[in-house]
Amino acid sequence: MEELNRVVEFLLENKLLFSLLIVGLILMIRRVTLSGIRGDVAFLSEDQRKWMSRTKNGSFAVIMVSLFLLWRSEISEFALSVTAIAVAIVVASKEIILCFTGSIQRASSRSFRIGDWIEVGKTSGEVIEHNLMATVIQEIDLYHGQYHFTGKTITLPNSMFFTYAVKNLNFMKRYVYHNFSIVVRDFDNLYPLVPELIQRIEHHSESFIDVARRYNGVIEKHAGVDLPGSEPHVHISSGDTGEQIIHIMLFCPTELALHLEQEIRADFMEMYHKTFPRELAKD
């Protein structure tokens, strides 16, 4: 017991060494825990990412609390000594403070969690980690209608949540309102093609339309708004230079959106050339 007391007294007298031992021990435990959570799998599941994030945040909190308790007397003296320059410290640490408060705002509003798809400004992706300072996402290409991962990892400082609106796109992980347009150069009457085009779209949608209707109803109930629905929508408009534009909107599985778009484009081109045949130019 005496030897233990001597060791404790020695560590308390050498706080820097004690701090290094505390940090090293906690980091070692964190590393072992993270390794156990990850296992040997190639791709992490959402549950694994959640527990890994909790482990990292928890270990960071334990380190901060431990060091504060160990150095609180020195911290108190330091705080008193810097009272005169407190304003300068606040200004210099403005971004850090915003990151902390942004993390609090995210947690209190529950705007997203790990595994959700979000859009912040012009950046969109799946949340894979968040902590007190930043949120890490895997970028998703939403602006080209492909909904696939680009392979880029983006770290967003939490201060961005005060500057940009955070859009939760989580329902798009399964089904999406996919919009695309087909441009026709000549000013032909395309309205007779619309019923047949809708029939072909419905034919392509037979395999998932029942699930799409149910999922659309779930989203409407959760959001409390009347969404466009699971049926295909087709309308025609004219461009500034006289061309016609066929606008098509589908409610379909996210992974099939691009494939369905290509099939519908092919169907329309086939129908158009049959209805409005063009003579080949002759020499």
Side-chain angles (χ1 to χ4, degrees):
M1 184 62 68
E2 293 181 359
E3 293 180 356
L4 179 61
N5 291 333
R6 291 177 182 176
V7 171
V8 172
E9 290 177 0
F10 174 77
L11 292 175
L12 291 176
E13 292 175 357
N14 298 272
K15 291 185 177 181
L16 181 59
L17 176 61
F18 197 12
S19 300
L20 293 176
L21 289 176
I22 291 174
V23 173
L25 179 61
I26 295 174
L27 291 180
M28 185 181 302
I29 294 173
R30 187 185 77 162
R31 184 171 183 177
V32 172
T33 305
L34 291 176
S35 178
I37 294 173
R38 182 179 182 89
D40 297 327
V41 296
F43 301 100
L44 295 174
S45 66
E46 289 188 16
D47 288 337
Q48 286 176 308
R49 288 175 178 172
K50 289 177 182 177
W51 280 108
M52 290 178 71
S53 179
R54 291 168 184 167
T55 301
K56 292 178 181 178
N57 293 336
S59 60
F60 178 76
V62 171
I63 289 175
M64 295 301 294
V65 171
S66 301
L67 294 180
F68 175 79
L69 293 176
L70 181 62
W71 294 89
R72 58 182 176 181
S73 58
E74 287 79 359
I75 292 174
S76 299
E77 294 176 1
F78 175 77
L80 292 175
S81 64
V82 298
T83 301
I85 57 172
V87 175
I89 293 176
V90 170
V91 172
S93 59
K94 175 184 176 182
E95 191 67 24
I96 297 176
I97 295 173
L98 286 175
C99 287
F100 275 108
T101 52
S103 177
I104 296 173
Q105 186 269 344
R106 176 201 59 78
S108 60
S109 64
R110 298 181 180 179
S111 53
F112 61 86
R113 59 183 181 179
I114 291 178
D116 285 356
W117 285 15
I118 65 171
E119 182 179 357
V120 183
K122 294 185 178 180
T123 304
S124 55
E126 180 175 333
V127 180
I128 60 174
E129 183 181 348
H130 56 70
N131 51 49
L132 293 176
M133 297 298 295
T135 297
V136 183
I137 65 173
Q138 285 285 352
E139 187 182 40
I140 299 173
D141 184 9
L142 295 182
Y143 290 98
H144 298 92
Q146 298 183 10
Y147 314 105
H148 62 69
F149 291 99
T150 64
K152 300 177 182 178
T153 301
I154 302 177
T155 301
L156 305 174
N158 290 336
S159 58
M160 290 183 65
F161 301 151
F162 292 107
T163 307
Y164 300 98
V166 180
K167 300 179 183 179
N168 192 311
L169 312 176
N170 198 39
F171 80 93
M172 293 177 60
K173 292 180 68 174
R174 292 189 58 195
Y175 279 78
V176 64
Y177 284 104
H178 183 59
N179 296 273
F180 64 95
S181 302
I182 302 174
V183 180
V184 178
R185 181 191 62 184
D186 299 312
F187 200 80
D188 297 313
N189 183 12
L190 303 178
Y191 284 95
L193 302 181
V194 173
E196 184 180 352
L197 179 61
I198 292 178
Q199 289 180 1
R200 295 204 181 193
I201 295 174
E202 291 175 345
H203 174 71
H204 293 309
S205 307
E206 286 179 351
S207 60
F208 60 82
I209 190 62
D210 291 335
V211 178
R213 290 193 183 102
R214 292 196 297 269
Y215 192 68
N216 185 265
V218 170
I219 297 173
E220 287 184 335
K221 184 177 180 180
H222 182 268
V225 295
D226 185 18
L227 297 177
S230 58
E231 307 303 325
H233 298 266
V234 179
H235 70 277
I236 300 173
S237 65
S238 300
D240 296 334
T241 55
E243 72 277 5
Q244 294 192 91
I245 305 173
I246 300 91
H247 304 273
I248 301 172
M249 184 178 72
L250 309 171
F251 186 69
C252 61
T254 305
E255 67 272 12
L256 297 179
L258 186 61
H259 176 70
L260 289 171
E261 176 183 337
Q262 298 303 309
E263 289 187 333
I264 294 168
R265 286 181 181 274
D267 287 343
F268 177 81
M269 291 179 183
E270 178 187 348
M271 294 162 49
Y272 178 77
H273 285 296
K274 284 183 179 180
T275 307
F276 305 101
R278 297 288 189 267
E279 294 184 1
L280 297 176
K282 297 181 180 179
D283 296 334

